[in-house]
């Protein structure tokens, strides 16, 4: 029998039947989570062709404000110009490829490369090159920073590395109208937390998308404020909304005090972004692949009030509740990753009542991977 790494990728992708209805479907098979070649294929397809969150709109409000990030291994920078237009570029100097903007976020008059001092305007145009007199046939106009598509939605800045990508709104589809009534743009960013987890990024997404299946077993505190039986799961376009009515909790005071309102809303947008809302509260989760069995998840927390001392104390308490839930998820995700490497496991079945979100995720992902598998890294650009 061929070892996983010797099996052609095409064969591994074909082993997932994306036509099977939920009641007959399997999960994507274990090699999707443990074969290192999948990481590269995902970078070229899933992450290079989808709209990816790289920051928050409040980070790029004024001319000169910038935010940097890495998407599919590519350094990018988004910066607001003096004309008020938000633009994004590969954060790679046209001289000898150094990173031009070295801070995570901030404000600048000019984008100044720290290596040999080339300067770029906020619109990406090359403004000046020290000691470049005498260089022949150099076209300054065609040596600006290389542009990347950028758009915003609600509180989030997205980029897309694919120059032929459809507009963000088309990519987002129905999630736009579902998030709009929640009024998240009135909330204020408060803090971030980052978790490094020893699992493939898709294990974390699967865990998120199991429709509350694991909640009563793994998250006793959270379970006490959700009406688990009424939990709904809706798929449309590239998003899944899991939602549950809230109930008053006497069991867990901290959870009851910080997870309030009529309903909890848990949105996942393909491939790696989640938005979780309670009343006066939102956190977002951005799931970033590190390697085949590691990922990093960045949580951003937003609240209705972030100014007063009392509000800050409440917000910290709320984040601590999130931390506990996260610890519970982290342990199980790492256990799943170990299990996926076992010879005893190939693929699993899905609960019709609970796991429609995972089914959508696996079909969208496989479609993207199949689209790119026959193409070389160069041809995909
Ligand atoms: S690499 Fe940027 S100025 Fe040389
Ligand atoms: Fe969980």
């Amino acid at each position: 029998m061929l070892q996983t790494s010797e099996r052609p990728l095409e064969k591994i992708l074909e082993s997932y039947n994306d036509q099977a209805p939920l009641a007959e479907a399997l999960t994507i098979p274990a090699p999707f989570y443990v074969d290192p070649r999948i990481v590269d294929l995902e970078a070229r397809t899933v992450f290079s062709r989808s709209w990816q969150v790289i920051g928050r709109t409040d980070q790029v409000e004024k001319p000169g404000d910038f935010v940097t990030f890495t998407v599919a291994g590519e350094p990018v920078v988004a910066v607001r110009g003096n004309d008020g237009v938000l633009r994004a570029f590969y954060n790679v100097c046209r001289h000898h490829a150094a990173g031009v903007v070295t801070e995570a976020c901030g404000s600048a008059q000019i984008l100044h490369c720290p290596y040999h001092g080339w300067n770029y305007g906020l619109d990406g145009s090359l403004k000046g090159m020290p000691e470049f007199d005498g260089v022949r046939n150099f076209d300054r106009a065609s040596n600006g920073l290389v542009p990347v598509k950028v758009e915003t939605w609600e509180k989030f800045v997205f980029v897309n590395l694919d120059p032929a990508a459809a507009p963000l709104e088309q990519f987002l589809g129905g999630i736009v109208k579902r998030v709009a009534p929640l009024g998240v743009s009135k909330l204020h960013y408060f803090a971030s937390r980052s978790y490094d987890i020893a699992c493939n990024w898709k294990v974390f997404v699967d865990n998120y998308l199991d429709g509350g299946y694991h909640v009563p077993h793994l998250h006793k505190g959270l379970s006490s404020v959700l009406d688990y039986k009424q939990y709904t799961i809706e798929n449309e376009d590239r998003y899944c909304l899991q939602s549950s009515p809230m109930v008053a909790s006497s069991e867990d005071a901290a959870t009851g005090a910080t997870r309030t309102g009529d309903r909890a809303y848990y949105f996942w947008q393909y491939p790696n972004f989640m938005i979780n809302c309670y009343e006066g509260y939102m956190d977002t989760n951005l799931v970033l692949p590190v390697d085949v069995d590691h990922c990093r998840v960045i949580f951003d927390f937003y609240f209705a009030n972030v100014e007063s001392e009392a509000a800050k104390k409440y917000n910290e308490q709320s984040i601590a509740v999130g931390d506990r839930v996260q610890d519970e998820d982290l342990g199980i995700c790492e256990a799943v990753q170990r299990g996926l490497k076992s010879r005893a496991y190939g693929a699993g079945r899905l609960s019709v009542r609970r796991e429609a979100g995972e089914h959508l995720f696996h079909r969208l992902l496989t479609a993207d991977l199949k689209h790119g598998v026959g193409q070389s890294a160069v041809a995909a650009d």
Side-chain angles (χ1 to χ4, degrees):
M1 188 180 152
L2 286 176
Q3 295 299 306
T4 295
S5 59
E6 295 166 28
R7 262 176 88 194
L9 270 180
E10 286 86 345
K11 288 270 175 283
I12 292 172
L13 298 183
E14 278 167 20
S15 69
Y16 175 70
N17 175 9
D18 53 9
Q19 300 301 312
L22 177 56
E24 295 170 19
L26 286 155
T27 62
I28 44 176
F32 278 53
Y33 300 90
V34 302
D35 190 321
R37 293 172 301 171
I38 291 280
V39 179
D40 174 57
L41 182 60
E42 286 173 344
R44 287 196 287 113
T45 58
V46 177
F47 292 96
S48 290
R49 294 215 180 100
S50 60
W51 286 91
Q52 287 289 308
V53 172
I54 62 154
R56 311 185 309 271
T57 52
D58 62 77
Q59 293 175 302
V60 287
E61 260 167 7
K62 296 183 293 298
D65 287 355
F66 63 80
V67 61
T68 62
F69 210 68
T70 302
V71 173
E74 294 286 348
V76 294
V77 56
V79 55
R80 190 161 305 273
N82 289 319
D83 55 3
V85 175
L86 183 65
R87 297 179 180 83
F89 308 97
Y90 287 91
N91 186 17
V92 178
C93 186
R94 296 298 299 275
H95 179 224
H96 288 179
V100 176
V101 182
T102 52
E103 292 148 86
C105 61
S107 188
Q109 300 295 313
I110 196 113
L111 307 181
H112 176 76
C113 181
Y115 198 178
H116 311 98
W118 283 28
N119 283 323
Y120 300 87
L122 301 178
D123 62 357
S125 61
L126 180 57
K127 296 288 190 203
M129 313 82 70
E131 304 182 70
F132 235 52
D133 292 346
V135 176
R136 283 198 285 272
N137 302 326
F138 180 78
D139 179 24
R140 184 196 298 214
S142 60
N143 276 277
L145 295 175
V146 176
V148 172
K149 277 179 181 281
V150 63
E151 289 194 55
T152 63
W153 169 62
E154 295 285 0
K155 311 281 281 183
F156 319 114
V157 178
F158 291 77
V159 298
N160 196 316
L161 299 182
D162 179 2
L168 174 62
E169 200 170 336
Q170 206 171 314
F171 175 79
L172 294 172
I175 196 174
V176 173
K177 67 176 186 306
R178 300 303 299 270
V179 169
L182 301 180
V184 300
S185 58
K186 291 200 283 290
L187 300 175
H188 306 283
Y189 170 75
F190 181 71
S192 299
R193 295 281 189 279
S194 167
Y195 299 89
D196 290 303
I197 313 177
C199 72
N200 185 276
W201 70 280
K202 298 186 293 296
V203 170
F204 187 90
V205 175
D206 287 344
N207 174 65
Y208 183 91
L209 285 175
D210 76 4
Y213 205 172
H214 72 272
V215 170
H217 308 284
L218 201 60
H219 305 309
K220 301 271 190 264
L222 183 60
S223 181
S224 70
V225 298
L226 298 178
D227 187 353
Y228 175 75
K229 292 216 165 41
Q230 305 296 321
Y231 210 104
T232 58
I233 298 123
E234 299 165 68
N235 285 339
E236 187 188 0
D237 299 326
R238 294 178 191 81
Y239 80 94
C240 175
L241 168 58
Q242 305 171 91
S243 181
S244 169
M246 308 284 290
V247 290
S249 170
S250 51
E251 284 173 46
D252 185 316
T255 306
T258 57
R259 301 290 183 269
T260 61
D262 296 336
R263 289 196 81 85
Y265 297 88
Y266 307 122
F267 292 94
W268 163 78
Q269 173 69 34
Y270 177 80
N272 62 334
F273 189 57
M274 293 87 156
I275 303 170
N276 308 301
C277 296
Y278 303 95
E279 191 168 288
Y281 170 102
M282 168 172 73
D283 72 70
T284 61
N285 318 144
L286 184 60
V287 190
L288 305 168
V290 174
D291 62 25
V292 73
D293 45 20
H294 293 87
C295 66
R296 170 168 292 178
V297 186
I298 299 174
F299 279 60
D300 284 352
F301 295 89
Y302 301 73
F303 295 93
N305 302 307
V306 294
E307 297 296 340
S308 71
E309 283 311 310
K312 284 181 191 164
K313 203 165 155 228
Y314 172 87
N315 298 347
E316 290 294 351
Q317 186 192 9
S318 181
I319 290 173
V321 168
D323 259 333
R324 199 178 68 200
V325 174
Q326 195 51 32
D327 278 343
E328 291 161 352
D329 279 324
L330 195 143
I332 206 76
C333 286
E334 296 192 344
V336 167
Q337 186 69 23
R338 289 191 293 274
L340 286 165
K341 290 181 182 163
S342 166
R343 70 190 70 173
Y345 190 83
R349 294 297 300 270
L350 296 165
S351 160
V352 172
R353 166 68 183 96
R354 295 282 168 189
E355 297 182 294
E358 285 175 82
H359 190 218
L360 176 65
F361 173 41
H362 294 171
R363 285 175 293 153
L364 290 169
L365 179 102
T366 306
D368 271 357
L369 295 179
K370 282 182 176 169
H371 185 71
V373 74
Q375 301 173 335
S376 72
V378 174
D381 288 339

